[in-house]
Amino acid sequence: MGLLEFIKDYFIGFLDYETPKVMVVKNKKLGVIYRGVQFFVITYFIWYVFISQKAYQDSETRPENSVYTKMKGTAVQGDHVLDMVEYVRPSEGGDVISTILRRVVTHNQRQGTCAEHFTVPNANCSKDSDCISGKVDFDGNGQRTGRCVPYYNQTFKTCEIQTWCPIEDYAAIREPALAEAINFTVYIKNAIHFPKFKVLRGNIKPNKRNGQKYLNKCHYNEEKHPYCPIFRLGYIAEQAREKFSELCRTGGVIGVFINWKCDLDLDPSECKPTYSFRRLDLRKNLPSSGYNFRFAKYYSKDGEEFRTLIKAFGIRLDVIVHGHAGRFSIIPTIINTVTAMTSVGICSIICDWIMLTFIDKNAIYSGRKFDDDSKVPKPSQTFTLPTEFTIISYGSTHSDLSEGVAL
């Protein structure tokens, strides 16, 4: 029977109408809390939401972009002069370009048989039966022939393999680093398009008369030359907080971040990129730290094919573009303004909770705040609370607690 009454009361109460009641509580501490929370909410929406985040704008964060890179510079190594064809990979740069700073070269390799390197697992042997014919080791340099042979001019023996001989681990020559590479320059051309606003921008300022002459002489400077996207490798390493000598030794991957933050309500000249640089690969005592790659140069001699194997250590530049554009729009302005006005109501909720929970006479406040018209006496009667508060009229939606209650 109790359950049925509960269900009945619930459905009857569900159709009741509730309206807010205004009650003035003259309590200074509660008033300070109320105005303090109110000030915090209003400040948050004005300073952070509208001024900092520009919530009054319609925005676009996924623009279309293109990147073209080109590197220039000349270095002398011994009797050879190296230009961009020698040290730049790939020759036609996109959003990734690398330059060789140091090389380990193995000359005159040709297809044949030679001894496996002694550091390869199970490569050391004393007789032919120790070497399984046709076996290919994952860490090795070729396919075993089944013979046990002297390790080049040494007294010990290793398994013979069929591969490009001589092997790199034995015959490689380490060349000195290209110290002049610190002055190599990389040209980064970037165009960005915000299709929502039909806005196209580039990181090179249009100049029909002296544009090419200007680019031939300038280097990037954030204040003096913001539209000159030509960077020295030494400047890039410095901005990424890396030592150029260490990059020459191990190589490394550096991210070039182009950031477009455009307020389209301002002059178009204010929409210009900023650049930042950061090392991307892990480098703390890891065997795989740094950046290197191998390639070969093939040639024929007396009708036989030879190659020069080159292991290159260098700097790889990954160009990463971020874009954000905004322009005033009435729809987000209305939405965020209404949200701000609604959020001010949280001040009353917090203060009501404090008043009904922590104040000494919270039962009196609760009785004055929540009225049930089904229990209100007839208008001809006068009802007095058993406290210092007296209600003279009924049905009013405004009350004034003229006596403050200490927190």
Side-chain angles (χ1 to χ4, degrees), residues 53-64:
Q53 298 298 314
K54 293 180 170 55
Y56 56 86
Q57 292 183 334
D58 189 11
S59 63
E60 184 174 10
T61 58
R62 290 189 176 182
E64 303 165 350

Side-chain angles (χ1 to χ4, degrees), residues 286-336:
L286 295 177
S288 60
S289 62
Y291 173 70
N292 63 79
F293 59 95
R294 287 178 173 85
F295 64 97
K297 296 180 179 180
Y298 295 86
Y299 59 95
S300 295
K301 185 167 56 176
D302 298 331
E304 187 177 5
E305 185 182 35
F306 287 79
R307 78 175 187 181
T308 299
L309 178 64
I310 300 173
K311 182 179 181 181
F313 295 82
I315 295 178
R316 169 177 150 171
L317 302 178
D318 289 6
V319 183
I320 303 170
V321 182
H322 298 293
H324 179 278
R327 177 177 287 168
F328 175 79
S329 176
I330 191 63
I331 295 177
T333 302
I334 294 175
I335 292 174
N336 286 285

Side-chain angles (χ1 to χ4, degrees), residues 104-340:
V104 178
V105 184
T106 307
H107 296 281
N108 299 322
Q109 282 188 322
R110 61 180 177 177
Q111 285 288 336
T113 58
C114 52
E116 177 64 280
H117 196 262
F118 61 87
T119 59
V120 175
N122 303 318
N124 294 274
C125 62
S126 58
K127 54 186 182 299
D128 291 347
S129 59
D130 294 334
C131 303
I132 302 174
S133 178
K135 181 179 180 182
V136 178
D137 286 310
F138 179 77
D139 297 323
N141 294 284
Q143 185 181 44
R144 294 186 181 182
T145 63
R147 297 178 57 203
C148 184
V149 297
Y151 183 76
Y152 298 95
N153 298 325
Q154 304 298 325
T155 57
F156 60 90
K157 295 181 178 182
T158 62
C159 293
E160 185 183 59
I161 57 173
Q162 181 177 359
T163 185
W164 287 94
C165 297
I167 60 175
E168 180 186 29
D169 293 332
Y170 169 75
I173 299 174
R174 289 171 172 79
E175 296 181 350
L178 296 178
E180 298 93 334
I182 194 171
N183 293 316
F184 289 175
T185 60
V186 56
Y187 168 64
I188 304 175
K189 184 179 180 180
N190 175 227
I192 192 167
H193 177 223
F194 297 97
K196 179 184 286 187
F197 304 115
K198 299 180 180 179
V199 172
L200 179 65
R201 293 286 184 271
N203 63 340
I204 300 175
K205 195 172 184 178
N207 192 331
K208 295 182 179 180
R209 293 184 178 180
N210 301 317
Q212 191 61 41
K213 293 182 179 179
Y214 170 73
L215 291 176
N216 290 335
K217 297 179 180 179
C218 69
H219 285 164
Y220 175 78
N221 183 284
E222 185 176 358
E223 296 181 357
K224 297 181 180 179
H225 303 290
Y227 287 101
C228 177
I230 299 176
F231 306 86
R232 291 175 53 254
L233 289 184
Y235 173 83
I236 292 176
E238 179 184 351
Q239 294 297 310
R241 299 181 180 180
E242 296 293 330
K243 294 182 179 179
F244 194 81
S245 59
E246 184 67 16
L247 291 173
C248 289
R249 188 180 68 85
T250 63
V253 181
I254 295 179
V256 180
F257 296 89
I258 305 178
N259 302 290
W260 294 84
K261 192 171 183 180
C262 299
D263 187 349
L264 301 180
D265 294 328
L266 304 178
D267 188 87
S269 62
E270 297 297 324
C271 180
K272 56 186 178 181
T274 58
Y275 301 87
S276 59
F277 308 87
R278 186 174 71 249
R279 180 79 177 263
L280 297 181
D281 62 306
L282 298 176
R283 62 191 183 282
K284 293 185 178 180
N285 301 322
L286 295 177
S288 60
S289 62
Y291 173 70
N292 63 79
F293 59 95
R294 287 178 173 85
F295 64 97
K297 296 180 179 180
Y298 295 86
Y299 59 95
S300 295
K301 185 167 56 176
D302 298 331
E304 187 177 5
E305 185 182 35
F306 287 79
R307 78 175 187 181
T308 299
L309 178 64
I310 300 173
K311 182 179 181 181
F313 295 82
I315 295 178
R316 169 177 150 171
L317 302 178
D318 289 6
V319 183
I320 303 170
V321 182
H322 298 293
H324 179 278
R327 177 177 287 168
F328 175 79
S329 176
I330 191 63
I331 295 177
T333 302
I334 294 175
I335 292 174
N336 286 285
T337 301
V338 172
T339 302

